């Protein structure tokens, strides 16, 4: 499970049962449907052909469109839409909410065919490669398929055409501030991983993939490791959807730098609150596209001092509280090392930063606030009087005002 899957589970768990009966539909069996069923949430698996990457790598930094994948994906999306349409025709839900890029398309198509209102919960930035072809395709579909769009970051909303902005609301992700708390004990995780009790732990949690930037963190740690022998680097996460070539690269880096005993690869863990509690400092090193990432919000809620690359997703979360997180230029390992040194060497700074981000998480990013904001949108869309026909243009919901970006945060 990645961030989208966890946010799906959290939302389904917290929806007001006096108003909603959530039904979760997944393309294959696995942790998400299992977790839903364990929580008493109805979950179904509708298998369909998997989508393929729409670009090919040409050289180290260049990617070009893959027309074969585009044709295959069109076929796969139509198959998925037909399967989902059959399920929806039988279950007759009041509303369809889609999460994940391919689900926006086949879920939107199925819902539109049956005249069921559809809300896209957009949680991914659209690639600007190939002269913005992907973004324009997404924008055209967004004008036709959903009645409303929830974006979990302003940068996602800004990628959509201006003509759609009256149907877009920014709602940041939420975190369970009771589960992710400064008082959680991480001692068992430290003992399991063999981290000495007197070591200060710099940690990172997230999917192991190049755009999460773990290689920059290892480079930065290498610059401070010799002068600080009682500091350990803890990397929590796995290549959830990718192959493991990047993880092998990271492990090779650690070996070549002579840091095998100082860097712990914890892999994917279910005890995320305890894993964060095992850390003393959290390093957020995503170099692109992360919008209200759950790992960062969970670290904030856990009261961890945070050093982060200065990307738009981070700036958006700490707006008005810029001094609660130490930010450094994106992709600069030297700057990252310097900021980590500041936090490692200054206990009072660690305490101040940790208290500040904890307050921010409680004030802005609690799970209850997140779910309540989403419920307002879903209620408005579900109670539309007139269904959208197959030939009608999707009308604006301006006659039913929805919370704006600030109200919904």
């Amino acid at each position: 499970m990645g961030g989208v899957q966890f946010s799906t589970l959290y939302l389904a768990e917290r929806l007001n049962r006096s108003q909603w009966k959530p039904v979760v539909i997944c393309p294959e069996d696995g942790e998400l449907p299992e977790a839903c069923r364990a929580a008493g949430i109805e979950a179904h698996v509708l298998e369909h052909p998997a989508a393929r990457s729409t670009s090919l790598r040409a050289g180290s930094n260049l990617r070009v469109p893959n027309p074969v994948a585009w044709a295959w994906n069109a076929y796969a999306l139509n198959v998925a839409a037909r399967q989902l349409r059959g399920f929806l025709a039988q279950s007759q839900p009041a509303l369809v909410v889609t999460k994940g890029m391919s689900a926006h398309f086949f879920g939107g198509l199925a819902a539109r065919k049956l005249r069921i209102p559809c809300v896209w919960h957009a949680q991914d930035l659209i690639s600007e490669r190939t002269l913005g072809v992907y973004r324009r395709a997404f924008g055209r579909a967004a004008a036709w398929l959903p009645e409303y769009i929830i974006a979990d970051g302003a940068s996602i909303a800004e990628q959509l055409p201006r003509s759609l902005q009256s149907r877009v609301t920014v709602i940041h992700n939420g975190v369970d501030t009771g589960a992710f708390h400064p008082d959680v004990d991480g001692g068992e995780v430290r003992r399991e991983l063999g981290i000495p009790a007197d070591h200060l732990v710099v940690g990172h949690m997230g999917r192991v993939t190049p755009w999460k930037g773990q290689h920059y963190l290892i480079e930065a740690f290498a610059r401070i490791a010799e002068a600080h022998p009682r500091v350990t680097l803890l990397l929590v996460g796995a290549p959830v959807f990718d192959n493991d070539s990047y993880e092998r690269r990271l492990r090779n880096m650690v070996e070549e730098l002579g840091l095998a005993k100082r860097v712990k690869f914890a892999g994917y863990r279910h005890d995320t609150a305890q894993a964060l509690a095992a850390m003393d400092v959290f390093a957020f090193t995503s170099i692109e596209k992360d919008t209200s990432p759950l790992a960062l919000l969970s670290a904030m809620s856990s009261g961890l001092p945070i050093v982060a690359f200065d990307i738009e997703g981070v700036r958006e979360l700490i707006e008005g509280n810029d001094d609660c997180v130490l930010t450094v230029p994106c992709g600069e390992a030297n700057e990252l090392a310097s900021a980590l040194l500041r936090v490692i060497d200054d206990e009072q700074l660690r305490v101040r930063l940790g208290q500040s981000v904890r307050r921010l998480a409680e004030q802005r990013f609690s799970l209850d606030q997140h779910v309540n904001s989403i419920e307002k949108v879903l209620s408005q869309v579900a109670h539309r009087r007139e269904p959208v026909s197959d030939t009608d243009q999707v009308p604006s919901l301006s006659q039913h005002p929805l919370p704006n970006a600030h109200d919904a945060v």
Side-chain angles (χ1 to χ4, degrees):
M1 288 173 63
V4 172
Q5 289 73 30
F6 275 110
S7 72
T8 302
L9 175 63
Y10 295 158
L11 176 62
E13 286 179 325
R14 295 292 182 108
L15 284 171
N16 185 345
R17 289 300 191 275
S18 68
Q19 296 181 334
W20 305 99
K21 178 191 175 184
V23 178
V24 177
I25 302 171
C26 301
E28 59 183 288
D29 226 328
E31 289 190 352
L32 178 56
E34 290 171 3
C36 288
R37 294 171 190 137
I41 300 163
E42 184 178 340
H44 298 269
V45 174
L46 297 180
E47 294 185 358
H48 57 80
R52 297 176 181 174
S53 176
T54 55
S55 61
L56 296 170
R57 187 175 296 280
S60 58
N61 297 311
L62 179 64
R63 299 187 72 92
V64 296
N66 181 356
V68 174
W70 280 86
W72 169 262
N73 289 348
Y75 162 76
L77 289 173
N78 274 288
V79 171
R82 287 198 301 271
Q83 290 175 329
L84 180 59
R85 190 165 68 241
F87 179 90
L88 297 178
Q90 291 184 347
S91 56
Q92 288 295 310
L95 183 70
V96 170
V97 180
T98 61
K99 284 170 164 275
M101 196 59 62
S102 62
H104 296 326
F105 285 88
F106 72 75
L109 286 168
R112 184 176 181 82
K113 187 71 174 178
L114 297 171
R115 302 185 179 185
I116 300 171
C118 177
V119 174
W120 282 6
H121 191 180
Q123 297 175 274
D124 297 286
L125 275 171
I126 313 304
S127 171
E128 295 288 351
R129 290 194 297 264
T130 62
L131 303 176
V133 169
Y134 303 119
R135 175 176 48 77
R136 288 197 295 274
F138 186 72
R140 287 180 179 272
W144 179 52
L145 296 177
E147 292 205 43
Y148 211 80
I149 301 170
I150 298 171
D152 74 357
S155 53
I156 296 175
E158 290 165 1
Q159 287 191 311
L160 293 164
R162 290 184 179 180
S163 59
L164 301 184
Q165 293 304 313
S166 64
R167 301 199 269 123
V168 179
T169 293
V170 175
I171 301 177
H172 294 123
N173 275 324
V175 63
D176 188 340
T177 55
F180 294 91
H181 192 278
D183 293 337
V184 176
D185 183 9
E188 183 58 37
V189 174
R190 283 185 174 234
R191 287 188 289 273
E192 175 192 335
L193 297 173
I195 299 173
D198 63 342
H199 273 217
L200 187 145
V201 177
V202 174
H204 178 281
M205 179 178 290
R207 172 180 163 189
V208 177
T209 191
W211 62 267
K212 289 288 188 180
Q214 289 96 338
H215 57 289
Y216 291 112
L217 180 54
I218 292 174
E219 289 178 21
F221 182 69
R223 288 163 167 77
I224 64 177
E226 185 175 354
H228 289 75
R230 289 198 293 274
V231 176
T232 290
L233 177 60
L234 172 59
L235 300 176
V236 180
V240 181
F241 306 115
D242 301 329
N243 62 46
D244 60 358
S245 60
Y246 181 62
E247 183 177 10
R248 290 198 304 271
R249 172 186 164 190
L250 297 180
R251 290 180 179 273
N252 289 337
M253 282 181 64
V254 169
E255 290 288 343
E256 292 168 3
L257 292 167
L259 297 173
K261 294 182 178 180
R262 302 279 301 279
V263 179
K264 305 293 182 179
F265 289 88
Y268 180 84
R269 300 185 68 97
H270 293 89
D271 56 346
T272 51
Q274 289 72 28
L276 284 169
M279 303 174 188
D280 298 292
V281 179
F282 188 82
F284 184 78
T285 55
S286 290
I287 56 176
E288 60 176 329
K289 77 180 184 177
D290 250 344
T291 53
S292 61
L294 280 176
L296 180 59
L297 292 174
S298 299
M300 292 168 64
S301 184
S302 300
L304 287 173
I306 296 169
V307 176
F309 279 153
D310 187 18
I311 63 172
E312 187 173 354
V314 173
R315 292 194 298 272
E316 186 177 340
L317 292 183
I318 64 173
E319 183 179 5
N321 296 267
D322 298 353
D323 61 346
C324 72
V325 171
L326 292 187
T327 57
V328 300
C330 186
E332 295 290 336
N334 284 332
E335 297 279 356
L336 180 61
S338 297
L340 288 172
L341 279 175
R342 276 189 63 195
V343 180
I344 290 169
D345 290 337
D346 190 337
E347 183 178 1
Q348 291 185 342
L349 178 61
R350 293 200 301 273
V351 171
R352 179 180 68 78
L353 292 174
Q355 292 174 343
S356 296
V357 292
R358 171 64 187 181
R359 283 195 300 270
L360 189 59
E362 291 176 310
Q363 292 167 1
R364 293 189 184 177
F365 304 115
S366 74
L367 197 52
D368 287 340
Q369 289 172 303
H370 170 76
V371 174
N372 289 341
S373 296
I374 287 183
E375 282 187 328
K376 291 178 183 177
V377 175
L378 302 187
S379 293
Q380 293 284 2
V381 176
H383 289 95
R384 284 187 48 79
R385 293 182 180 178
E386 296 295 332
V388 179
S389 73
D390 290 342
T391 56
D392 290 340
Q393 291 292 318
V394 179
S396 169
L397 293 179
S398 57
Q399 65 269 37
H400 300 295
L402 291 168
N404 62 34
H406 297 291
D407 295 334
V409 168

